Amino acid sequence: MRRALWKAAKATTLAKFSTKMRELAEIDIEVAKWLGTKQPIEWTRSHFRTFSKCDMLLNNICESFNSKILHAREEHIVGLMESLRHYVMTRLQQNRDMAKSKWKKLKFCPRIMKRVKKNMDMATQCFPIKSNDDDYVVGCPYGETYCVNIKERMCTCRKWDLTGIPCCHAIS
């Protein structure tokens, strides 16, 4: 059940999401009905908006953030907002400083480079056909085809759209 749920959550297109939900319903119809009562935009990549470039499914950040602001909750609204502003500014700058010193020789952080490398390896199995200066149709080994627009940085698999990291179709 857990694998089927994660496959539905990780689906990046509406068609794949529908297929994974049907598979989940075959395992347990009650779970599928319960998930049907939830807003898909809150839990599946297939419904995420693409402007934020984030495909994170877990919400552990909220729990960490809430534990850090316990003292700020005791304050009045203006004090609360000031405490939050100071905490976020400090935290972001600490992360920037750490990244600058730790990865100063790299253009991108190691986790992103690892994903790009994996996509590059997968791209060797794809077959791009140029449609015009910006558009390509990319065939994959199992018969799927995807449309890629290099100029708009979009692919119909939506992985590039969601993360800002070129998918294997775009790399091919």
Side-chain angles (χ1 to χ4, degrees):
M1 176 59 66
R2 182 176 35 181
R3 281 192 208 118
L5 173 65
W6 276 109
K7 285 180 181 180
K10 290 180 179 181
T12 56
T13 64
L14 294 175
K16 282 190 180 181
F17 173 71
S18 297
T19 301
K20 299 303 177 188
M21 285 301 290
R22 281 193 297 276
E23 290 173 8
L24 191 120
E26 289 174 9
I27 296 170
D28 190 335
I29 190 70
E30 293 303 316
V31 170
K33 286 180 185 176
W34 181 80
L35 283 172
T37 65
K38 309 297 175 204
Q39 292 292 327
I41 197 166
E42 296 174 353
W43 67 275
T44 175
R45 289 180 182 156
S46 62
H47 289 73
F48 286 1
R49 294 185 187 100
T50 59
F51 66 86
S52 65
K53 304 300 179 216
C54 179
D55 66 343
M56 186 174 288
L57 292 169
L58 302 175
N59 201 5
N60 295 341
I61 292 172
C62 282
E63 294 173 24
S64 298
F65 184 71
N66 283 333
S67 71
K68 294 290 184 184
I69 65 165
L70 288 176
H71 70 282
R73 289 181 178 179
E74 306 286 325
E75 300 178 27
H76 54 78
I77 190 72
V78 175
L80 169 78
M81 296 306 286
E82 279 297 306
S83 293
L84 292 178
R85 185 175 70 87
H86 284 256
Y87 170 72
V88 170
M89 283 186 344
T90 305
R91 175 69 187 217
L92 288 174
Q93 189 57 47
Q94 287 172 345
N95 286 342
R96 282 191 289 267
D97 291 342
M98 185 269 304
K100 193 180 285 185
S101 66
K102 190 174 181 181
W103 302 313
K104 59 185 167 195
K105 295 179 182 172
L106 300 176
K107 190 171 183 178
F108 301 102
C109 69
R111 182 176 286 168
I112 301 303
M113 292 304 298
K114 185 176 179 181
R115 287 177 75 173
V116 169
K117 170 108 174 69
K118 179 181 174 189
N119 288 345
M120 288 171 70
D121 292 342
M122 291 171 36
T124 61
Q125 299 175 5
C126 299
F127 309 97
I129 301 170
K130 191 171 187 175
S131 176
N132 60 37
D133 288 341
D134 301 324
D135 296 312
Y136 292 80
V137 175
V138 180
C140 295
Y142 299 107
E144 309 101 343
T145 58
Y146 298 95
C147 298
V148 176
N149 184 302
I150 299 297
K151 186 176 182 180
E152 299 292 324
R153 297 180 180 200
M154 294 172 52
C155 178
T156 53
C157 77
R158 293 189 72 230
K159 290 178 184 174
W160 195 9
D161 309 33
L162 287 167
T163 64
I165 302 168
C167 60
C168 61
H169 316 115
I171 291 173
S172 73

